[in-house]
């Protein structure tokens, strides 16, 4: 008011914006603990036949160790998104990293054939951690990064999760070879994997406590300056949800994103069983095919992020990616049983490039068509849609 009076009604000066050096550390730590969480999601599924033999359970029971991630997400996403909006980024990040470490240590107690219920409970804790992780990429990108970096930063944050899935496909089949005649050796190998994961996730929890702050000292963009200056009472979480469900473009994105990403999640969960059915004894190659799928997707993610920062053509890019993913899935499906593993590697890579490459594109498209609603809310609903469809598939 004083400025307006002094300036004879002049508009108030624009707030100072500046990029924080800490933003890269925040992005790196988040990407790493998101990586470990994704690794824990797929580490059982890619060894379905090994864990079924070890715990003496059926394949559907092993599938539940992946599906628990999907089931936990849907009822918990709204409370988790509310927590992100009401209590902020730092607390949400600490909860995600802390529960991730707790779940990893609980798994270390399940290293005996009769302890399937304990390993399921431990995986459920990791599934709850995931709820506090998957909605953060777009929030971290918009709160900490400048206008020309946002899409790339979001792609890098999603990349951490994808890299975790990639390592989850590659490492477990190497660490835990199928030794059905030597259960003690199998338990020893699984123990190396479980304890290693627990130590890394605990270190990342402490790093999260050191590195994460609520927001940088100066906003990185003018749009963030406007949002940060908005009084808290102006924000209604319930109204934000209502606004999103009234937004027809967002509803269309919600449905299409759910189908696309849900298909990728279900293919990942059942990949070991698909490959071992048609190519007996090829557990390690099943992992390598999964790795090819995800690494190709990581390349796709980075290309999508850079392309969007350069062109801002969200709808056109989305349509092209959808069409090419559809063609890729058709080819993958009808060439799976030809008897040539090299064909599965190639078709899996093509499929992954478009399907997984779409993940950050969907988040960024949602932020664009729902501004000024919270990024955490829109990306949380997108993830919920993907988990529901994946569970159904």
């Amino acid at each position: 008011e004083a400025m307006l009076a002094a300036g004879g009604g002049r508009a108030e000066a624009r707030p100072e914006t500046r990029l924080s050096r800490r933003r890269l550390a925040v992005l790196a730590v988040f990407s790493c603990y998101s990586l470990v969480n994704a690794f824990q999601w797929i580490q059982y599924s890619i060894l379905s036949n090994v864990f079924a033999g070890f715990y003496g359970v059926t394949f559907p029971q092993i599938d539940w160790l992946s599906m628990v991630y999907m089931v936990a997400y849907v009822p918990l996403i709204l409370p988790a998104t509310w927590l992100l909006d009401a209590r902020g980024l730092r607390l949400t990040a600490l909860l995600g990293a802390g529960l991730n470490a707790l779940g990893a240590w609980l798994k270390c107690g399940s290293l005996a054939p009769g302890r399937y219920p304990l390993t399921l409970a431990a995986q459920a804790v990791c599934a709850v951690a995931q709820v506090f992780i998957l909605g953060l990429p777009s929030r971290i990108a918009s709160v900490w990064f400048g206008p020309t970096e946002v899409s790339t930063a979001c792609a890098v944050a999603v990349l951490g999760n994808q890299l975790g899935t990639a390592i989850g496909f590659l490492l477990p089949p190497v660490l835990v070879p199928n030794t059905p005649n030597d259960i003690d050796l199998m338990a020893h190998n699984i123990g190396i994997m479980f304890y290693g994961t627990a130590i890394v996730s605990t270190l990342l929890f402490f790093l999260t406590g050191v590195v994460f702050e609520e927001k940088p000292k100066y906003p990185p963009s003018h749009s963030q300056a406007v949002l940060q200056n908005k009084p808290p009472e102006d924000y209604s979480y319930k109204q934000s949800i209502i606004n999103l469900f009234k937004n027809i473009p967002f509803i269309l994105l919600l449905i299409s994103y759910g189908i696309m990403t849900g298909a990728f999640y279900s293919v990942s969960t059942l990949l070991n069983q698909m490959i071992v059915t048609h190519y007996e004894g090829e557990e390690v190659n099943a992992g390598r095919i999964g790795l090819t799928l995800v690494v190709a997707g990581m390349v796709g993610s980075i290309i999508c992020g850079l392309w969007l920062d350069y062109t801002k053509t969200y709808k056109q890019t989305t349509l092209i990616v959808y069409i090419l993913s559809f063609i890729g899935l058709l080819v993958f499906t009808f060439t799976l049983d030809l008897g040539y593993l090299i064909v599965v590697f190639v078709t899996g890579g093509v499929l992954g490039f478009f399907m997984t490459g779409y993940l950050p594109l969907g988040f960024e498209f949602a932020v664009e068509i729902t501004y000024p609603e919270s990024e955490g809310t829109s990306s949380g609903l997108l993830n919920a849609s993907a988990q529901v469809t994946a569970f159904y598939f």
Side-chain angles (χ1 to χ4, degrees), residues 8 10 36 55 61 74 89 118 129 135 175 188 199 211 266 268 295 329 364 371 374-375 381:
R10 258 196 340 241
V36 176
Y55 287 118
Q61 284 174 286
V74 179
L89 191 60
L118 178 56
L175 290 175
H188 171 75
I199 291 165
V211 166
S266 54
S268 299
V295 169
L329 191 54
E364 284 302 299
Y371 182 87
S374 161
E375 306 90 352
L381 289 170

Side-chain angles (χ1 to χ4, degrees), residues 78-99:
L78 292 181
T81 312
W82 172 84
L83 188 80
L84 176 61
D85 291 327
R87 295 286 179 266
L89 191 60
R90 179 176 161 81
L91 178 65
T92 308
L94 283 169
L95 270 171
L99 288 168

Side-chain angles (χ1 to χ4, degrees), residues 49-294:
N49 55 334
V50 174
F51 278 106
F54 180 71
Y55 287 118
V57 294
T58 61
F59 277 119
Q61 284 174 286
I62 297 300
D63 292 340
W64 268 105
L65 294 169
S66 168
M67 290 195 294
V68 70
Y69 265 59
M70 302 164 194
V71 173
Y73 194 87
V74 179
L76 292 176
I77 184 52
L78 292 181
T81 312
W82 172 84
L83 188 80
L84 176 61
D85 291 327
R87 295 286 179 266
L89 191 60
R90 179 176 161 81
L91 178 65
T92 308
L94 283 169
L95 270 171
L99 288 168
N100 200 38
L102 175 62
W105 281 111
L106 285 173
K107 287 179 187 179
C108 296
S110 67
L111 289 168
R115 295 182 186 171
Y116 171 81
L118 178 56
T119 216
L120 179 61
Q123 190 73 332
V125 173
C126 296
V128 176
Q130 172 220 212
V131 182
F132 298 105
I133 293 171
L134 286 187
L136 289 190
S138 52
R139 172 64 65 93
I140 289 170
S142 60
V143 168
W144 283 89
F145 287 82
T148 60
E149 304 172 322
V150 169
S151 294
T152 307
C154 184
V156 170
V158 173
L159 198 71
N161 205 266
Q162 293 172 302
L163 186 57
T165 307
I167 296 170
F169 278 130
L170 181 69
L171 209 53
V174 175
L175 290 175
V176 189
N178 193 9
T179 55
N181 300 322
D182 192 343
I183 295 297
D184 289 339
L185 176 61
M186 193 182 285
H188 171 75
N189 292 334
I190 293 170
I192 291 171
M193 179 167 72
F194 282 176
Y195 278 103
T197 308
I199 291 165
V200 171
S201 54
T202 304
L203 175 65
L204 288 168
F205 171 61
F206 286 118
L207 279 174
T208 304
V210 171
V211 166
F212 262 78
E213 287 182 355
E214 197 52 53
K215 59 187 179 186
K217 186 177 179 182
Y218 297 99
S221 64
H222 291 297
S223 61
Q224 275 302 304
V226 170
L227 288 175
Q228 287 180 16
N229 291 330
K230 207 174 180 183
E233 60 269 18
D234 282 4
Y235 179 75
S236 162
Y237 181 68
K238 182 182 174 184
Q239 189 57 47
S240 179
I241 296 282
I242 292 168
N243 292 345
L244 288 173
F245 278 104
K246 284 181 179 174
N247 184 331
I248 299 301
F250 177 71
I251 294 299
L252 294 171
L253 181 65
L254 194 67
I255 296 165
S256 56
Y257 181 92
I259 293 169
M260 171 85 117
T261 312
F264 168 70
Y265 288 163
S266 54
V267 167
S268 299
T269 298
L270 299 172
L271 189 63
N272 168 273
Q273 291 165 60
M274 286 183 203
I275 302 302
V276 172
T277 298
H278 295 295
Y279 306 90
E280 200 172 330
E282 294 286 2
E283 292 89 357
V284 173
N285 271 325
R288 288 172 182 159
I289 290 165
L291 175 72
T292 305
L293 204 105
V294 179

Side-chain angles (χ1 to χ4, degrees), residues 138 142 253 362-371 373 375 378:
S138 52
S142 60
L253 181 65
F363 284 153
E364 284 302 299
F365 197 6
V367 171
E368 286 297 313
I369 59 181
T370 61
Y371 182 87
E373 303 303 334
E375 306 90 352
S378 59

